[in-house]
Coordinates of all heavy atoms in Angstrom, one line a residue:
M1 N 37.2 47.9 102.1 CA 38.6 47.7 102.6 C 39.3 46.7 101.6 O 38.6 45.5 101.4 CB 38.6 47.1 104.0 CG 40.0 47.0 104.6 SD 40.1 46.3 106.2 CE 39.2 47.7 107.2
N2 N 40.4 46.9 100.9 CA 41.0 46.0 100.2 C 41.8 45.0 101.0 O 42.1 45.1 102.2 CB 41.9 46.6 99.0 CG 43.0 47.4 99.7 OD1 43.6 46.9 100.6 ND2 43.3 48.4 98.9
G3 N 42.3 43.8 100.2 CA 43.1 42.8 100.9 C 44.3 43.3 101.7 O 44.6 42.9 102.7
T4 N 45.1 44.3 101.0 CA 46.3 44.9 101.7 C 46.0 45.6 103.0 O 46.5 45.4 104.0 CB 47.0 45.8 100.7 OG1 47.2 45.0 99.5 CG2 48.3 46.3 101.3
S5 N 45.0 46.5 102.8 CA 44.6 47.3 104.0 C 44.0 46.3 105.1 O 44.2 46.7 106.2 CB 43.8 48.4 103.7 OG 42.5 47.9 103.2
R6 N 43.3 45.4 104.8 CA 42.6 44.4 105.8 C 43.8 43.7 106.5 O 43.8 43.6 107.6 CB 41.7 43.4 105.0 CG 40.9 42.7 106.0 CD 39.8 41.8 105.2 NE 39.0 42.6 104.2 CZ 39.0 42.3 102.9 NH1 39.5 41.1 102.5 NH2 38.1 42.9 102.2
A7 N 44.8 43.3 105.7 CA 45.8 42.7 106.4 C 46.7 43.6 107.3 O 47.1 43.2 108.4 CB 46.8 42.0 105.3
A8 N 46.9 44.8 106.8 CA 47.7 45.7 107.8 C 46.8 46.0 109.0 O 47.4 46.1 110.0 CB 47.8 47.0 106.8
N9 N 45.5 46.1 108.9 CA 44.7 46.3 110.0 C 44.8 45.2 111.0 O 44.9 45.5 112.2 CB 43.3 46.8 109.4 CG 42.3 47.2 110.6 OD1 42.9 48.1 111.5 ND2 41.2 46.6 110.8
A10 N 44.7 44.0 110.4 CA 44.7 42.8 111.4 C 46.1 42.9 112.1 O 46.2 42.6 113.3 CB 44.6 41.5 110.4
D11 N 47.1 43.0 111.3 CA 48.5 43.1 111.9 C 48.7 44.1 112.9 O 49.4 44.0 113.9 CB 49.5 43.3 110.7 CG 51.0 43.1 111.3 OD1 51.2 42.0 112.0 OD2 51.7 44.0 111.3
S12 N 48.1 45.3 112.7 CA 48.2 46.4 113.7 C 47.6 46.1 115.0 O 47.8 46.6 116.1 CB 47.6 47.7 113.1 OG 46.2 47.6 113.1
W13 N 46.7 45.1 115.0 CA 46.0 44.6 116.3 C 46.6 43.3 116.8 O 46.1 42.8 117.8 CB 44.5 44.7 116.0 CG 43.9 46.0 116.2 CD1 43.7 46.8 115.1 CD2 43.5 46.7 117.4 NE1 43.0 48.1 115.6 CE2 43.0 47.9 116.9 CE3 43.4 46.4 118.7 CZ2 42.4 48.9 117.9 CZ3 43.0 47.2 119.6 CH2 42.5 48.5 119.2
S14 N 47.5 42.7 116.0 CA 47.8 41.3 116.4 C 48.6 41.2 117.9 O 48.3 40.3 118.5 CB 48.8 40.7 115.4 OG 50.0 41.5 115.3
W15 N 49.0 42.3 118.3 CA 49.6 42.5 119.7 C 48.6 42.0 120.7 O 49.0 41.7 121.9 CB 50.3 43.7 119.9 CG 49.4 45.0 119.7 CD1 49.3 45.5 118.5 CD2 48.6 45.6 120.7 NE1 48.3 46.6 118.7 CE2 47.9 46.6 120.1 CE3 48.3 45.4 122.1 CZ2 47.1 47.5 120.8 CZ3 47.4 46.1 122.8 CH2 46.9 47.2 122.1
R16 N 47.4 42.4 120.6 CA 46.3 42.2 121.5 C 46.3 40.6 122.1 O 45.8 40.4 123.1 CB 45.0 42.7 121.1 CG 44.9 44.1 120.8 CD 43.5 44.5 120.5 NE 42.9 43.7 119.4 CZ 41.6 43.8 119.1 NH1 40.7 44.3 119.9 NH2 41.2 43.0 118.1
V17 N 46.8 39.6 121.2 CA 46.7 38.4 121.7 C 47.5 38.2 123.0 O 47.1 37.5 123.9 CB 47.2 37.5 120.6 CG1 47.4 36.0 121.0 CG2 46.3 37.6 119.3
G18 N 48.5 38.9 123.1 CA 49.4 38.7 124.4 C 48.9 39.7 125.5 O 49.7 39.7 126.5
A19 N 47.8 40.4 125.3 CA 47.5 41.4 126.4 C 47.3 40.8 127.7 O 46.5 39.9 127.9 CB 46.2 42.2 126.0
R20 N 47.8 41.4 128.7 CA 47.7 40.9 130.0 C 46.3 41.1 130.6 O 45.8 40.5 131.5 CB 48.7 41.5 131.0 CG 48.8 41.3 132.5 CD 48.9 39.8 132.8 NE 48.9 39.6 134.3 CZ 47.7 39.5 134.9 NH1 46.5 39.6 134.3 NH2 47.7 39.3 136.2
C21 N 45.6 42.1 130.0 CA 44.3 42.5 130.6 C 43.2 41.7 130.0 O 42.1 41.9 130.4 CB 44.1 44.0 130.2 SG 44.4 44.4 128.5
R22 N 43.6 40.7 129.0 CA 42.4 39.9 128.5 C 41.8 39.1 129.6 O 42.5 38.5 130.5 CB 43.0 39.0 127.4 CG 43.4 39.8 126.2 CD 44.0 38.9 125.1 NE 43.1 37.8 124.4 CZ 42.4 38.1 123.4 NH1 42.8 39.2 122.7 NH2 41.6 37.2 122.9
G23 N 40.5 39.4 129.7 CA 39.8 38.5 130.9 C 39.8 39.3 132.1 O 39.0 38.9 133.0
E24 N 40.5 40.5 132.1 CA 40.4 41.3 133.4 C 39.0 42.1 133.3 O 38.5 42.3 132.3 CB 41.5 42.3 133.4 CG 42.8 41.6 133.8 CD 43.1 41.3 135.3 OE1 42.3 41.9 136.0 OE2 44.0 40.5 135.6
D25 N 38.6 42.4 134.3 CA 37.4 43.5 134.5 C 37.8 44.7 133.8 O 38.7 45.5 134.4 CB 36.9 43.7 135.8 CG 35.7 44.5 136.0 OD1 35.3 44.9 135.0 OD2 35.4 44.6 137.1
L26 N 37.2 45.1 132.7 CA 37.7 46.4 132.1 C 37.2 47.6 132.9 O 37.8 48.7 132.6 CB 37.1 46.5 130.7 CG 37.6 45.4 129.7 CD1 37.0 45.5 128.3 CD2 39.1 45.5 129.7
A27 N 36.4 47.6 133.9 CA 36.1 48.6 134.8 C 37.4 49.1 135.4 O 37.5 50.3 135.9 CB 35.1 48.2 135.8
L28 N 38.4 48.2 135.5 CA 39.7 48.8 136.1 C 40.4 49.7 135.2 O 41.1 50.4 135.8 CB 40.6 47.4 136.3 CG 41.8 47.6 137.1 CD1 41.6 47.9 138.6 CD2 42.6 46.2 137.1
F29 N 40.1 49.6 134.0 CA 40.9 50.5 133.0 C 40.2 51.7 132.6 O 40.7 52.7 132.1 CB 41.1 49.7 131.8 CG 42.2 48.6 132.0 CD1 41.7 47.3 132.5 CD2 43.6 48.8 132.0 CE1 42.6 46.3 132.8 CE2 44.5 47.7 132.2 CZ 44.0 46.6 132.7
F30 N 38.9 51.8 132.8 CA 38.0 53.0 132.5 C 37.2 53.5 133.6 O 36.7 52.7 134.2 CB 37.0 52.5 131.3 CG 37.8 52.1 130.0 CD1 38.2 50.7 129.8 CD2 38.1 53.1 129.1 CE1 38.7 50.4 128.6 CE2 38.9 52.7 127.9 CZ 39.1 51.4 127.7
H31 N 37.4 54.7 133.8 CA 36.7 55.3 135.0 C 35.1 55.4 134.8 O 34.6 55.7 133.8 CB 37.3 56.7 135.2 CG 36.9 57.9 134.3 ND1 35.6 58.5 134.2 CD2 37.6 58.2 133.3 CE1 35.7 59.3 133.3 NE2 36.8 59.2 132.6
P32 N 34.5 55.1 135.9 CA 33.1 55.3 135.9 C 32.6 56.7 136.0 O 33.6 57.5 136.5 CB 32.6 54.4 137.2 CG 33.7 54.5 138.1 CD 35.0 54.5 137.2
D33 N 31.4 57.0 135.7 CA 31.0 58.3 135.7 C 31.2 58.8 137.1 O 30.7 58.2 138.1 CB 29.3 58.5 135.4 CG 29.3 58.2 133.9 OD1 30.2 58.4 133.2 OD2 28.2 58.0 133.4
G34 N 31.6 60.0 137.3 CA 31.6 60.7 138.6 C 32.7 60.2 139.5 O 33.0 60.8 140.6
E35 N 33.7 59.3 138.9 CA 34.9 58.9 139.7 C 35.9 60.1 139.8 O 36.2 60.7 138.8 CB 35.5 57.7 139.2 CG 36.7 57.2 140.0 CD 37.5 56.2 139.3 OE1 38.0 56.4 138.1 OE2 37.6 55.0 139.9
R36 N 36.3 60.4 141.0 CA 37.3 61.6 141.3 C 38.3 61.1 142.3 O 38.2 60.2 143.0 CB 36.5 62.7 141.8 CG 35.5 63.3 140.9 CD 36.0 64.3 139.8 NE 35.0 64.8 139.0 CZ 34.2 64.3 138.0 NH1 34.6 63.1 137.7 NH2 33.3 65.0 137.4
G37 N 39.3 62.0 142.4 CA 40.3 62.0 143.5 C 40.9 60.7 143.7 O 41.5 60.0 142.9
Q38 N 40.9 60.3 145.1 CA 41.6 59.2 145.5 C 41.2 57.8 144.9 O 41.8 57.1 144.5 CB 41.7 59.2 147.0 CG 42.6 57.8 147.4 CD 42.7 57.9 149.0 OE1 42.2 58.9 149.7 NE2 43.4 57.0 149.6
A39 N 39.8 57.7 144.8 CA 39.3 56.5 144.2 C 39.8 56.4 142.7 O 40.2 55.2 142.3 CB 37.7 56.6 144.1
R40 N 39.8 57.4 142.0 CA 40.3 57.3 140.6 C 41.9 56.9 140.6 O 42.4 56.1 139.8 CB 40.2 58.6 139.8 CG 40.8 58.5 138.4 CD 40.5 59.7 137.6 NE 39.1 59.8 137.1 CZ 38.7 60.5 136.1 NH1 39.5 61.1 135.3 NH2 37.4 60.4 135.8
R41 N 42.6 57.6 141.4 CA 44.1 57.3 141.5 C 44.3 55.9 142.0 O 45.1 55.1 141.3 CB 44.8 58.3 142.4 CG 44.8 59.7 142.0 CD 45.8 60.5 142.8 NE 45.2 60.7 144.2 CZ 44.3 61.7 144.5 NH1 44.0 62.5 143.6 NH2 43.8 61.8 145.7
Q42 N 43.5 55.3 142.8 CA 43.7 54.0 143.3 C 43.5 53.0 142.1 O 44.1 52.0 141.8 CB 42.9 53.7 144.4 CG 43.4 54.3 145.8 CD 42.5 54.1 147.0 OE1 41.5 53.6 146.8 NE2 43.1 54.2 148.1
R43 N 42.3 53.2 141.5 CA 41.9 52.3 140.3 C 43.1 52.4 139.3 O 43.5 51.3 138.7 CB 40.4 52.8 139.9 CG 40.2 51.9 138.6 CD 38.9 52.4 138.0 NE 39.0 53.8 137.5 CZ 39.8 54.2 136.6 NH1 40.5 53.3 135.8 NH2 40.0 55.5 136.3
Q44 N 43.5 53.6 139.0 CA 44.5 53.8 137.9 C 45.7 53.1 138.4 O 46.5 52.5 137.5 CB 44.8 55.2 137.6 CG 43.5 55.9 136.8 CD 43.9 57.4 136.7 OE1 44.5 58.0 137.6 NE2 43.2 58.0 135.8
Q45 N 46.2 53.0 139.6 CA 47.4 52.3 140.0 C 47.2 50.9 139.9 O 48.2 50.1 139.5 CB 47.8 52.7 141.5 CG 48.2 54.1 141.7 CD 49.5 54.4 140.8 OE1 50.4 53.6 140.6 NE2 49.3 55.6 140.0
L46 N 45.9 50.3 140.1 CA 45.8 48.9 139.9 C 45.9 48.5 138.4 O 46.4 47.5 138.1 CB 44.4 48.6 140.6 CG 44.3 48.6 142.0 CD1 42.9 48.4 142.4 CD2 45.2 47.6 142.7
A47 N 45.3 49.4 137.6 CA 45.3 49.1 136.2 C 46.8 49.1 135.7 O 47.3 48.4 135.0 CB 44.5 50.2 135.4
K48 N 47.5 50.2 136.2 CA 49.0 50.3 135.9 C 49.8 49.1 136.3 O 50.7 48.7 135.6 CB 49.6 51.5 136.4 CG 49.0 52.8 135.7 CD 49.8 54.1 136.3 CE 49.6 55.2 135.6 NZ 50.6 56.2 135.7
A49 N 49.4 48.5 137.4 CA 50.1 47.3 137.8 C 49.9 46.1 136.9 O 50.8 45.3 136.7 CB 49.6 46.9 139.2
V50 N 48.6 46.0 136.5 CA 48.4 45.0 135.4 C 49.2 45.3 134.1 O 49.9 44.4 133.6 CB 46.9 44.9 135.0 CG1 46.7 43.9 133.8 CG2 46.1 44.7 136.2
C51 N 49.4 46.6 133.7 CA 50.1 46.9 132.5 C 51.6 46.6 132.6 O 52.3 46.2 131.7 CB 50.0 48.4 132.1 SG 48.3 48.8 131.7
A52 N 52.1 46.8 133.9 CA 53.5 46.6 134.2 C 53.8 45.2 134.0 O 55.1 44.8 133.7 CB 53.7 47.1 135.7
Q53 N 52.9 44.2 134.1 CA 53.2 42.8 134.0 C 52.9 42.4 132.5 O 53.1 41.1 132.2 CB 52.3 42.0 134.9 CG 52.4 42.3 136.4 CD 53.8 41.9 136.8 OE1 54.3 40.6 136.6 NE2 54.5 42.7 137.7
C54 N 52.6 43.3 131.6 CA 52.2 42.9 130.3 C 53.2 42.8 129.3 O 54.0 43.7 129.1 CB 51.0 44.0 129.8 SG 50.4 43.6 128.3
P55 N 53.3 41.7 128.6 CA 54.4 41.5 127.6 C 54.2 42.4 126.3 O 55.1 42.5 125.6 CB 54.3 40.1 127.2 CG 52.9 39.8 127.5 CD 52.4 40.6 128.7
V56 N 53.1 43.1 126.2 CA 52.9 43.9 124.9 C 52.6 45.4 125.3 O 52.0 46.1 124.5 CB 51.7 43.4 124.0 CG1 52.1 42.0 123.5 CG2 50.3 43.4 124.8
M57 N 53.1 45.7 126.4 CA 52.9 47.2 126.9 C 53.4 48.2 125.9 O 52.8 49.2 125.7 CB 53.5 47.4 128.3 CG 53.2 48.7 128.9 SD 53.7 48.9 130.6 CE 55.3 49.3 130.4
A58 N 54.5 48.0 125.4 CA 55.1 48.9 124.4 C 54.2 49.0 123.3 O 53.9 50.3 122.7 CB 56.5 48.5 123.9
Q59 N 53.7 47.9 122.6 CA 52.8 48.0 121.6 C 51.5 48.7 122.0 O 51.1 49.5 121.1 CB 52.6 46.6 120.9 CG 53.7 45.9 120.4 CD 54.5 45.0 121.5 OE1 54.6 45.4 122.6 NE2 54.9 43.9 121.0
C60 N 51.0 48.4 123.1 CA 49.7 49.0 123.5 C 50.0 50.5 123.7 O 49.0 51.3 123.2 CB 49.3 48.3 124.8 SG 47.8 49.0 125.5
R61 N 51.0 50.9 124.2 CA 51.2 52.4 124.4 C 51.4 53.0 123.1 O 50.8 54.2 123.0 CB 52.5 52.5 125.4 CG 52.8 54.0 125.5 CD 54.0 54.2 126.5 NE 53.8 53.7 127.8 CZ 54.6 53.9 128.8 NH1 55.7 54.6 128.8 NH2 54.2 53.5 130.1
A62 N 52.2 52.5 122.3 CA 52.3 53.1 121.0 C 51.0 53.2 120.2 O 50.6 54.2 119.6 CB 53.3 52.3 120.1
H63 N 50.2 52.2 120.4 CA 48.7 52.2 119.6 C 48.1 53.3 120.3 O 47.4 54.2 119.6 CB 48.0 50.9 119.9 CG 46.6 50.9 119.6 ND1 46.1 50.8 118.3 CD2 45.6 51.3 120.3 CE1 44.8 51.0 118.4 NE2 44.4 51.2 119.7
S64 N 48.0 53.4 121.6 CA 47.1 54.4 122.2 C 47.5 55.8 121.9 O 46.7 56.7 121.6 CB 47.0 54.3 123.7 OG 48.3 54.6 124.3
L65 N 48.7 56.1 121.6 CA 49.3 57.4 121.4 C 48.9 57.7 119.8 O 48.5 58.7 119.5 CB 50.8 57.5 121.6 CG 51.1 57.6 123.2 CD1 52.6 57.4 123.3 CD2 50.5 58.7 123.8
A66 N 49.2 56.6 119.1 CA 49.1 56.9 117.6 C 47.5 57.0 117.3 O 47.2 57.8 116.4 CB 49.5 55.5 116.8
F67 N 46.6 56.3 118.0 CA 45.3 56.5 117.8 C 44.6 57.6 118.6 O 43.3 57.7 118.6 CB 44.6 55.2 117.7 CG 44.7 54.3 116.5 CD1 45.9 53.5 116.6 CD2 43.8 54.4 115.4 CE1 46.1 52.7 115.4 CE2 44.2 53.6 114.3 CZ 45.3 52.7 114.2
Q68 N 45.4 58.2 119.4 CA 44.8 59.2 120.4 C 43.6 58.7 121.1 O 42.5 59.3 121.2 CB 44.6 60.5 119.6 CG 45.9 61.1 119.0 CD 45.7 62.3 118.2 OE1 44.4 62.6 118.0 NE2 46.7 62.9 117.8
E69 N 43.8 57.5 121.8 CA 42.8 56.9 122.5 C 42.4 57.8 123.7 O 43.2 58.4 124.4 CB 43.2 55.6 123.2 CG 43.5 54.4 122.1 CD 42.2 54.0 121.4 OE1 40.9 54.4 121.8 OE2 42.3 53.1 120.5
A70 N 41.0 58.2 123.7 CA 40.7 59.3 124.5 C 40.3 58.9 125.9 O 40.5 59.7 126.8 CB 39.3 60.0 123.9
F71 N 40.2 57.6 126.1 CA 39.7 57.2 127.5 C 40.5 55.9 127.9 O 40.9 55.1 127.1 CB 38.3 56.8 127.5 CG 37.3 57.9 127.0 CD1 36.7 57.9 125.7 CD2 37.1 59.0 127.8 CE1 36.0 58.9 125.3 CE2 36.3 60.1 127.2 CZ 35.8 60.1 126.0
G72 N 40.7 55.8 129.2 CA 41.1 54.6 129.7 C 42.6 54.5 130.0 O 43.4 55.5 129.5
T73 N 43.2 53.5 130.5 CA 44.6 53.2 130.8 C 45.0 52.3 129.7 O 44.4 51.2 129.6 CB 44.9 52.7 132.2 OG1 44.5 53.7 133.2 CG2 46.3 52.4 132.5
W74 N 46.0 52.8 129.0 CA 46.6 51.9 127.9 C 48.1 52.0 128.0 O 48.7 53.0 128.2 CB 46.2 52.5 126.5 CG 44.8 52.5 126.2 CD1 43.8 53.3 126.6 CD2 44.2 51.6 125.1 NE1 42.7 53.0 126.0 CE2 42.8 52.0 125.1 CE3 44.6 50.6 124.2 CZ2 42.0 51.4 124.2 CZ3 43.8 50.1 123.4 CH2 42.4 50.4 123.3
G75 N 48.7 50.8 128.0 CA 50.2 50.8 127.9 C 50.8 51.4 129.2 O 51.8 52.0 129.2
G76 N 50.1 51.3 130.3 CA 50.5 52.0 131.6 C 50.2 53.4 131.8 O 50.8 54.0 132.7
L77 N 49.6 54.0 130.7 CA 49.5 55.4 130.7 C 47.9 55.7 130.9 O 47.0 55.3 130.2 CB 50.0 56.2 129.4 CG 51.5 56.1 129.3 CD1 51.7 56.6 127.8 CD2 52.3 56.7 130.2
T78 N 47.6 56.7 131.8 CA 46.2 57.1 131.9 C 46.0 58.2 130.8 O 46.8 58.5 130.1 CB 46.0 58.0 133.3 OG1 46.7 59.0 133.2 CG2 46.4 56.9 134.4
E79 N 44.7 58.4 130.6 CA 44.3 59.3 129.5 C 45.0 60.8 129.7 O 45.4 61.5 128.8 CB 42.8 59.6 129.4 CG 42.1 59.9 130.6 CD 41.0 58.9 131.0 OE1 41.4 57.6 131.1 OE2 39.9 59.2 131.4
D80 N 45.1 61.2 131.0 CA 45.8 62.4 131.3 C 47.3 62.3 131.0 O 47.8 63.3 130.4 CB 45.5 62.8 132.8 CG 44.1 63.2 133.1 OD1 43.3 63.5 132.2 OD2 43.7 63.1 134.4
E81 N 47.9 61.3 131.3 CA 49.3 61.2 131.0 C 49.5 61.2 129.6 O 50.4 61.8 129.0 CB 49.9 60.0 131.7 CG 50.0 60.0 133.2 CD 50.1 58.7 133.8 OE1 49.9 57.5 133.4 OE2 50.7 58.7 135.0
R82 N 48.6 60.6 128.7 CA 48.6 60.4 127.3 C 48.5 61.8 126.7 O 49.2 62.3 125.7 CB 47.7 59.5 126.7 CG 48.1 58.0 126.8 CD 47.2 57.2 125.8 NE 45.8 57.3 126.0 CZ 45.2 56.8 126.9 NH1 45.8 56.0 127.8 NH2 43.9 57.0 126.9
S83 N 47.6 62.6 127.3 CA 47.4 64.1 126.8 C 48.6 64.8 127.0 O 48.9 65.7 126.1 CB 46.1 64.5 127.4 OG 46.3 65.0 128.7
Q84 N 49.3 64.5 128.0 CA 50.5 65.3 128.1 C 51.7 65.0 127.2 O 52.5 65.8 127.0 CB 51.1 65.3 129.7 CG 50.1 65.8 130.7 CD 50.5 65.5 132.1 OE1 51.5 64.8 132.4 NE2 49.6 65.7 133.0
L85 N 51.7 63.8 126.7 CA 52.6 63.5 125.7 C 52.3 63.9 124.3 O 53.2 63.9 123.5 CB 52.9 61.9 125.7 CG 53.3 61.3 127.0 CD1 53.4 59.8 126.9 CD2 54.7 61.9 127.3
L86 N 51.0 64.2 123.9 CA 50.7 64.5 122.8 C 50.8 66.1 122.5 O 50.6 66.7 123.5 CB 49.2 64.1 122.3 CG 49.1 62.6 122.3 CD1 47.5 62.1 122.4 CD2 49.6 62.0 121.1
P87 N 51.1 66.5 121.3 CA 51.3 68.0 121.2 C 50.0 68.8 121.3 O 49.9 69.9 121.8 CB 51.8 68.1 119.8 CG 51.4 66.8 119.1 CD 51.4 65.8 120.2
V88 N 49.0 68.2 121.0 CA 47.6 68.8 121.2 C 46.7 67.8 121.7 O 46.7 66.7 121.3 CB 47.0 69.4 119.8 CG1 45.6 69.9 119.9 CG2 48.0 70.4 119.2
R89 N 45.9 68.3 122.7 CA 44.9 67.3 123.3 C 43.9 67.1 122.2 O 43.3 68.0 121.8 CB 44.2 67.9 124.5 CG 43.2 67.0 125.0 CD 43.2 66.8 126.6 NE 42.0 66.1 126.8 CZ 42.0 64.7 127.2 NH1 43.2 64.0 127.2 NH2 41.0 64.1 127.6
A90 N 43.9 65.8 121.8 CA 42.9 65.5 120.8 C 42.0 64.3 121.2 O 42.5 63.3 121.6 CB 43.7 65.1 119.5
V91 N 40.8 64.6 121.2 CA 39.7 63.4 121.5 C 39.3 62.8 120.1 O 38.8 63.6 119.3 CB 38.6 64.1 122.2 CG1 37.5 63.0 122.5 CG2 39.0 64.7 123.6
N92 N 39.6 61.6 120.0 CA 39.4 61.0 118.8 C 38.4 59.9 119.1 O 38.7 58.8 119.1 CB 40.7 60.3 118.3 CG 40.6 59.8 116.9 OD1 39.5 59.8 116.3 ND2 41.8 59.4 116.3
L93 N 37.2 60.3 119.0 CA 36.1 59.4 119.3 C 35.8 58.6 118.0 O 35.3 57.4 118.1 CB 34.8 60.1 119.8 CG 34.9 61.0 120.9 CD1 33.5 61.7 121.2 CD2 35.1 59.9 122.2
R94 N 36.0 59.1 116.9 CA 35.8 58.4 115.7 C 36.4 57.1 115.4 O 36.0 56.2 115.1 CB 35.9 59.3 114.4 CG 35.5 58.8 113.2 CD 35.7 59.8 111.9 NE 37.1 60.2 111.8 CZ 38.1 59.6 111.4 NH1 37.8 58.3 110.7 NH2 39.3 60.0 111.1
T95 N 37.8 57.2 115.8 CA 38.6 56.0 115.6 C 38.8 55.2 117.1 O 39.6 54.4 117.1 CB 40.0 56.3 115.1 OG1 40.6 57.3 116.1 CG2 39.8 57.0 113.8
H96 N 37.9 55.6 118.0 CA 38.2 54.9 119.4 C 37.7 53.5 119.3 O 36.8 52.9 118.6 CB 37.1 55.6 120.4 CG 37.4 54.9 121.8 ND1 38.5 55.0 122.4 CD2 36.5 54.1 122.5 CE1 38.3 54.4 123.5 NE2 37.1 53.9 123.6
H97 N 38.8 52.6 119.7 CA 38.6 51.2 119.6 C 38.3 50.6 121.0 O 38.5 51.1 122.0 CB 40.0 50.5 119.2 CG 40.3 51.0 117.8 ND1 39.8 50.5 116.5 CD2 41.2 51.9 117.4 CE1 40.2 51.1 115.6 NE2 41.2 52.0 115.9
A98 N 37.9 49.4 121.0 CA 37.7 48.7 122.2 C 39.0 48.4 122.8 O 40.0 48.3 122.1 CB 36.8 47.3 121.9
H99 N 39.0 48.3 124.1 CA 40.2 47.9 124.8 C 40.6 46.6 124.5 O 39.9 45.8 124.2 CB 39.9 48.1 126.3 CG 41.2 48.4 127.1 ND1 41.9 47.5 127.7 CD2 41.8 49.6 127.4 CE1 42.9 47.9 128.5 NE2 42.8 49.3 128.2
P100 N 41.9 46.3 124.6 CA 42.4 45.0 124.2 C 41.8 44.0 125.1 O 41.6 42.8 124.8 CB 44.0 44.9 124.5 CG 44.4 46.3 124.6 CD 43.2 47.2 124.9
Ligands
SF4_201 S1 49.6 47.3 128.5 FE1 47.7 47.4 127.3 S2 47.4 45.3 126.6 FE2 48.8 45.3 128.4 S3 47.5 45.1 130.2 FE3 47.8 47.2 129.9 S4 46.1 47.9 128.6 FE4 46.2 45.7 128.5

């Protein structure tokens, strides 16, 4: 990675400094194996409530859509909601990043 791309990469993640979820239990944002139905909906609503208070929600949402984050709640959107916004459901495990 050259200096220019390194700087661009760092800048593309600089919004995470203001993330409301920093220090939160990330289990709130990612579903455990086997979670279904009401349990999943309740957990997602709690995650969305955190996102609704987040000063960088717009940047987080844009990032999750641009990188087609496959899992978790990002920018107030669940993975299912993001998949409905994207033209083709794309699972992008190669570029999957850690949550803010
Ligand atoms: S909008 Fe993104 S950065 Fe903010 S709390 Fe939600 S997941 Fe975290």
Side-chain angles (χ1 to χ4, degrees):
M1 184 182 299
N2 64 33
T4 302
S5 62
R6 196 174 303 125
N9 190 43
D11 186 56
S12 70
W13 280 94
S14 61
W15 55 269
R16 292 190 302 168
V17 173
R20 175 66 180 79
C21 57
R22 286 175 73 93
E24 292 278 343
D25 182 359
L26 292 184
L28 190 61
F29 294 86
F30 295 93
H31 68 81
D33 288 344
E35 182 189 56
R36 298 280 186 276
Q38 187 171 356
R40 178 176 287 206
R41 286 191 294 277
Q42 287 179 338
R43 181 190 50 74
Q44 289 174 331
Q45 288 306 312
L46 291 172
K48 287 178 170 212
V50 175
C51 294
Q53 302 290 320
C54 182
V56 295
M57 188 171 82
Q59 294 96 320
C60 180
R61 180 176 293 190
H63 164 89
S64 69
L65 292 170
F67 285 89
Q68 299 177 351
E69 294 288 355
F71 304 106
T73 298
W74 294 73
L77 296 176
T78 66
E79 57 242 46
D80 291 338
E81 291 167 337
R82 285 195 305 280
S83 72
Q84 292 170 9
L85 295 175
L86 295 170
V88 176
R89 172 138 177 102
V91 176
N92 190 350
L93 297 175
R94 186 175 58 79
T95 60
H96 183 66
H97 298 282
H99 203 265

